[in-house]
Amino acid sequence: MTSRTADGTARDRLRWWDGRLLATWIAVNAAAYIIIVAGGIVLETVASSVTRSLAEQHRVLGVLVVAVLGAGLHGVVLGRWQWRLLVTRMPTLTRRQWVTATFVPALIVWLLAIAPEAVDILAQGGDTLAVFKNGFVQALVLGPLIGLSQATALRADTTRWMWWFAANVTTYLVGAAAYEFGRFLLAGFAPGSWITPAFPLLGFLIHGMWMLWVTAPEATASGRRTDLRPA
């Protein structure tokens, strides 16, 4: 009986599913989504004259400023928040590792894809809200480049670290398909206000489920050490 109980306890300890952690992961990414979008609005409204003047007269500097701002929010804000969740399963993962692995690829994506478009729109006096919303989804969760960088940061902490890249690619493909489907719906009729946040949340959900599996106790260094302790 004792052996069976010990086996059951071990199986319970090694379960990968954690509904509370998944819900927190979704909430953290959703909060970061709001902050990034709010940052775009502040950039456009509060400092509109300065940013538009910068965009018109010094485009390269404007691109750099916007890219550093966006990537900084990704790396410093979201990276720290995600790290606080990941460290509950991987105590040896350092904050510096994760923040750097998030910031560097995000900066590349912002420099090459997001910031130039935002600066051009600012120079024309247009609305950058859509750029920041789409850019967040592209660079935060759905970017394979960030997935590869973050996977490398997990090498010492989980045997499933390579699957983190697969998680980002999968989420990217599903998110892209959902985005195109959403555009089709929006073009066909006027949906409710729930449609716009529904598609990013779908990406956060898929990525969160991958996160649970990659960081499962049986795959992490701390989980394997616990499993090897004598009963």
Side-chain angles (χ1 to χ4, degrees):
M1 175 68 81
T2 303
S3 177
R4 291 182 180 179
T5 303
D7 290 342
T9 303
R11 285 194 298 269
D12 288 341
R13 185 177 63 243
L14 298 178
R15 287 185 304 179
W16 66 278
W17 181 259
D18 187 334
R20 179 177 296 181
L21 182 59
L22 175 62
T24 307
W25 183 267
I26 295 173
V28 162
N29 283 275
Y33 177 92
I34 295 173
I35 290 175
I36 293 288
V37 174
I41 296 175
V42 170
L43 180 66
E44 182 180 0
T45 57
V46 177
S48 59
S49 59
V50 176
T51 53
R52 286 174 183 171
S53 175
L54 186 63
E56 292 173 354
Q57 300 176 17
H58 305 282
R59 185 178 184 275
V60 175
L61 181 58
V63 169
L64 181 61
V65 169
V66 172
V68 170
L69 173 64
L73 288 173
H74 275 97
V76 178
V77 177
L78 182 72
R80 288 169 64 95
W81 289 355
Q82 287 186 339
W83 173 79
R84 289 183 180 275
L85 299 181
L86 293 172
V87 79
T88 61
R89 286 190 163 188
M90 298 178 294
T92 56
L93 177 66
T94 67
R95 181 174 59 189
R96 184 175 183 178
Q97 278 180 292
W98 192 254
V99 170
T100 302
T102 304
F103 171 77
V104 172
L107 180 60
I108 295 174
V109 173
W110 276 81
L111 280 173
L112 296 180
I114 303 169
E117 183 179 358
V119 167
D120 289 342
I121 292 177
L122 282 173
Q124 299 168 9
D127 184 3
T128 60
L129 179 59
V131 175
F132 280 89
K133 288 170 62 178
N134 295 336
F136 174 88
V137 176
Q138 179 182 0
L140 174 63
V141 179
L142 310 182
L145 180 62
I146 291 182
L148 181 61
S149 176
Q150 291 179 338
T152 303
L154 298 176
R155 289 185 64 177
D157 299 280
T158 173
T159 58
R160 299 174 180 173
W161 63 274
M162 280 296 295
W163 288 99
W164 192 270
F165 174 71
N168 279 266
V169 173
T170 303
T171 309
Y172 178 84
L173 294 176
V174 174
Y179 176 74
E180 292 301 325
F181 180 65
R183 290 181 59 187
F184 171 77
L185 288 180
L186 292 172
F189 59 92
S193 58
W194 59 271
I195 286 290
T196 299
F199 295 109
L201 288 176
L202 174 63
F204 303 150
L205 172 62
I206 296 172
H207 195 262
M209 293 177 68
W210 271 105
M211 179 274 297
L212 293 179
W213 189 78
V214 170
T215 64
E218 61 266 31
T220 62
S222 59
R224 292 194 301 276
R225 285 197 299 269
T226 302
D227 189 42
L228 291 174
R229 292 177 184 174

